[in-house]
């Protein structure tokens, strides 16, 4: 693992064979989402086509836990100070609830400026444009969001969906999505719903050298532990899938993960990866199971490629 990864820092390659039968990446199971999520959000039928194994045991649709329990304010946003065990309804057997917003964020952020910033009003407008967010009450945010390491702000918004109903506290994190071979990536938002992210998750996902990819993988995903080998396969399948929230322009290969990913864990697990066409261009990867509320549970993957200008370019 790279020594500089903050927390031990961590799609199948296009056309790869079916993943080993032990991998817990169940598809075709009815989703937890409403089916009318943000534009471009992957649907269950568009998800990882190289599936393996049966799903987990019992997905559960328990409510989101109280975000005020065991948390403290840090920077502008809020993080859990207890390792995040209560975040995202972990006790209900479900991974943390998030919304990953890529489409439209670059229209609200002036990326010509050296320091990217999204005003509180513009952030609230972006939130209001998400299909899973109810129009019962207008979203509101506590301040501006700067795209810097560790940056987040607190917002409020209402939801009308099973397992996530009424006004919820949001921790909105400034993150980056891959954008071709541009090392700076594109502005995006990772929104933790109801429960604050753990400190480690906040640090990993808001690291501005990390570019985030993800895809829903079925309603049973995340209810069983993934072994280190299954996690590596799952990360590779997620990162190399063309139907994800953000798409890489070149496939990656995950060589090793430092350990298993426990069910409903709120802590990312680190792995080593490289570009498929250049095994010498190595980088760190972090992955965590989440519930994409506009889709299904799946893996959220942070790839430390912001410092690899042009490294993913096969040309």
């Amino acid at each position: 693992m790279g020594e500089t990864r903050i927390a031990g820092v961590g799609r199948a390659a296009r056309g790869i064979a079916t993943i080993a039968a032990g991998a817990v990446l169940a598809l075709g199971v009815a989703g937890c989402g409403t089916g009318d999520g943000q534009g471009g959000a992957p649907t269950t039928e568009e998800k990882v086509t190289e599936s393996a194994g049966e799903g987990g045991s019992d997905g559960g649709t328990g409510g989101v836990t109280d975000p005020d329990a065991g948390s403290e304010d840090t920077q502008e946003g809020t993080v859990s100070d207890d390792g995040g065990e209560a975040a995202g309804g972990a006790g209900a057997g479900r991974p943390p609830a998030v919304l990953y917003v890529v489409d439209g964020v670059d229209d609200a952020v002036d990326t010509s400026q050296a320091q990217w910033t999204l005003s509180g009003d513009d952030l609230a407008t972006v939130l209001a444009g998400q299909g899973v967010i109810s129009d019962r009450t207008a979203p509101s945010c506590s301040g501006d969001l700067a795209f810097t390491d560790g940056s987040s702000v607190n917002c409020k918004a209402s939801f009308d969906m099973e397992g996530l109903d009424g006004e919820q506290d949001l921790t909105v994190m400034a993150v980056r999505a891959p954008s071709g071979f541009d090392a700076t990536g594109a502005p995006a938002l990772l929104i933790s719903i109801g429960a604050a992210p753990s400190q480690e998750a906040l640090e990993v996902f808001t690291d501005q050298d990390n570019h985030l990819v993800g895809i829903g993988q079925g309603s049973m995903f995340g209810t069983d532990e993934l072994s280190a080998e299954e996690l590596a396969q799952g990360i590779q399948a997620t990162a190399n899938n063309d139907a994800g929230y953000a798409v890489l322009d070149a496939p990656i290969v995950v060589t090793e993960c430092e350990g298993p990913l426990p069910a409903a864990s709120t802590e990312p697990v680190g792995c080593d990866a490289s570009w498929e066409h250049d095994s010498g261009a190595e980088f760190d990867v972090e992955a965590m199971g989440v519930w994409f509320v506009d889709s299904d549970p799946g893996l959220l993957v942070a790839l430390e490629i912001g410092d690899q200008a042009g490294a993913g370019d096969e040309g």
Side-chain angles (χ1 to χ4, degrees), residues 271-291:
C271 304
D272 294 330
S274 66
W275 298 105
E276 185 180 75
H277 65 278
D278 184 1
S279 60
E282 298 178 336
F283 49 89
D284 293 331
V285 173
E286 291 272 358
M288 188 176 83
V290 300
W291 170 31

Side-chain angles (χ1 to χ4, degrees), residues 24-119:
V24 188
L25 297 174
L27 302 179
V29 186
C32 296
T34 63
D36 60 350
Q38 74 176 72
T43 62
T44 301
E45 291 76 19
E46 291 174 320
K47 300 186 183 111
V48 181
T49 56
E50 308 291 348
S51 65
E54 300 300 323
S57 55
D58 185 6
T61 56
V64 176
T65 57
D66 183 355
D68 294 328
S71 65
E72 64 179 357
D73 289 342
T74 66
Q75 299 153 348
E76 298 107 340
T78 305
V79 298
S80 167
D81 66 355
D82 61 358
E85 289 302 320
R94 188 180 63 197
V98 304
L99 185 61
Y100 182 30
V101 182
V102 179
D103 293 346
V105 180
D106 57 347
D107 294 330
V109 176
D110 185 358
T111 56
S112 68
Q113 299 297 315
Q115 175 59 66
W116 297 353
T117 303
L118 186 58
S119 72

Side-chain angles (χ1 to χ4, degrees), residues 3 26 48 67 70 73 80 109 125 134 146 149 156 166 205 209 282 300:
E3 295 181 355
V48 181
D73 289 342
S80 167
V109 176
T125 298
S134 171
D149 292 353
K156 290 183 179 291
F205 295 127
D209 279 336
E282 298 178 336
L300 178 66

